Amino acid sequence: MATAWLVMAVGDDRSHGGNDGYDDDPARHYSWDSTVPNSERPAVGDVIALWDKKSLLGVSVIEDIETGRAEKDRYTCPLPGCGKADFKPRKKKRPVYRCNECYGEFDVPNARREEVTTFRTRHATAWVDMAGALPGSVLRQLCDKPSQHSIRAMRWERLQTALAGVGVTASVTIAEQARRTITGGHRERVVRARVGQAEFRARLLERHGPVCAFTGPAPATVLEAAHLYSYAANGAHHDDGGLLLRRDVHRLFDLGHIAVDPATQALDVLPALAAYPAYAALHGTAPAVPLQRSRAWLEAHWAQHRSH
Ligand SMILES: [Zn+2]
């Protein structure tokens, strides 16, 4: 059984403890810190499902988790012997706060600055928008146990079944493919590959100029460094193990929707993209830059995405 995390993207729970400074873009990142229950548990390769308390927003796979340190103001109950953080401001009644632990009432909580560990996922590659596909009531029932936490454990298989039941099977297949790509023995390599991303991209830009390897010249601002060595037998860093790709092309390449056919060295575009002329037109064309030196990596990519 694969682990999935139902995480609250917005809503009351996110203000608990004063979560200033979160920068969530549901399709790309999710941030939390060590004051949140389950904070240490999500791992690279796990499924992440974001919701807004009313319904599902989308599903992805965690590619990377960055950790850091930060200072944070924590607010606690000021009553003698309590010190818990279980209270929210009341809309009408005064005093403003009533502690759910000791039932004491107060207007001014104790404030204490403490150091916390911060966590931030990267999960843009496999993101599938599933806005409104499942209501909050169903998502709550899918969790392993009842909870009010902003990070809740569930089984990916159960979530898949529920999504299939409402007819979003194609999106589920994309997410599951991405999960297998990231977890299929590549877990550590994906993390390592992301180290030094900015430097790697700068080197590729210097070497090739502002050219998408598959589609041709493009402004540098839309070009990303695609790592090929997560597909290699060993994880050694090597410039030939990277391609500059336009951001949208990069994502389709990571998912295997665009690949290089080892037999012809031409681009191969999945029939699923036939409805999109700009992508369909790439099928059968030669890449915009010579890729001989990256051949072994591209063959491994092909083998992983097209040989079954
Ligand atoms: Zn209290």
Side-chain angles (χ1 to χ4, degrees), residues 209-222:
V211 179
C212 167
F214 289 175
T215 64
T221 184
V222 303

Side-chain angles (χ1 to χ4, degrees), residues 77 79 82 99 101-102:
C77 173
L79 278 101
C82 183
C99 176
E101 188 73 23
C102 70

Side-chain angles (χ1 to χ4, degrees), residues 44-301:
V44 171
D46 287 348
V47 170
I48 184 169
L50 281 86
W51 70 315
D52 65 2
K53 214 166 196 174
K54 292 197 187 83
S55 62
L56 185 65
L57 299 175
V59 170
S60 192
V61 180
I62 300 174
E63 294 158 53
D64 187 18
I65 299 176
E66 302 162 355
T67 61
R69 307 290 295 173
E71 292 208 314
K72 180 170 174 174
D73 287 325
R74 296 204 75 198
Y75 300 98
T76 55
C77 173
L79 278 101
C82 183
K84 294 292 196 298
D86 188 8
F87 50 83
K88 284 172 185 167
R90 301 191 286 193
K91 288 193 175 69
K92 291 193 178 123
K93 286 192 178 168
R94 294 293 178 268
V96 178
Y97 298 103
R98 180 170 178 272
C99 176
N100 291 322
E101 188 73 23
C102 70
Y103 305 121
E105 297 184 330
F106 52 93
D107 278 318
V108 182
N110 279 346
R112 171 162 50 95
R113 177 151 287 202
E114 66 180 43
E115 194 173 74
V116 298
T117 304
T118 60
F119 303 88
R120 186 175 195 244
T121 69
R122 230 193 305 242
H123 61 251
T125 302
W127 175 257
V128 181
D129 196 299
M130 298 187 189
L134 293 173
S137 56
V138 171
L139 293 170
R140 283 189 192 88
Q141 285 172 3
L142 287 170
C143 291
D144 290 352
K145 55 187 177 191
S147 134
Q148 298 290 319
H149 299 153
S150 51
I151 299 177
R152 309 178 196 196
M154 57 166 58
R155 303 294 100 200
W156 169 223
E157 288 79 0
R158 291 189 69 200
L159 179 57
Q160 277 180 283
T161 304
L163 288 166
V166 295
V168 291
T169 43
S171 296
V172 167
T173 303
I174 290 171
E176 176 59 10
Q177 276 176 359
R179 192 185 70 79
R180 286 171 191 270
T181 301
I182 291 170
T183 57
H186 301 286
R187 180 174 292 233
E188 288 175 32
R189 278 182 227 133
V190 170
V191 176
R192 191 163 58 229
R194 302 292 172 175
V195 174
Q197 175 87 11
E199 293 82 349
F200 190 51
R201 177 177 173 277
R203 265 214 316 280
L204 288 169
L205 266 172
E206 196 175 306
R207 185 165 152 186
H208 300 288
V211 179
C212 167
F214 289 175
T215 64
T221 184
V222 303
L223 292 174
E224 296 180 341
H227 288 273
L228 297 176
Y229 45 82
S230 61
Y231 299 103
N234 70 61
H237 187 91
H238 196 292
D239 278 8
D240 294 326
L243 292 179
L244 274 179
L245 291 178
R246 221 169 59 198
R247 193 179 175 130
D248 56 329
V249 173
H250 182 190
R251 183 157 171 188
L252 293 166
F253 176 77
D254 275 348
L255 291 171
H257 295 193
I258 297 177
V260 176
D261 186 339
T264 62
Q265 294 301 307
L267 297 177
D268 186 273
V269 178
L270 277 191
L273 292 176
Y276 307 98
Y279 299 124
L282 295 173
H283 184 71
T285 63
V289 302
L291 296 176
Q292 287 86 346
R293 296 173 68 180
S294 305
R295 202 163 168 161
W297 281 285
L298 290 166
E299 283 177 9
H301 174 266

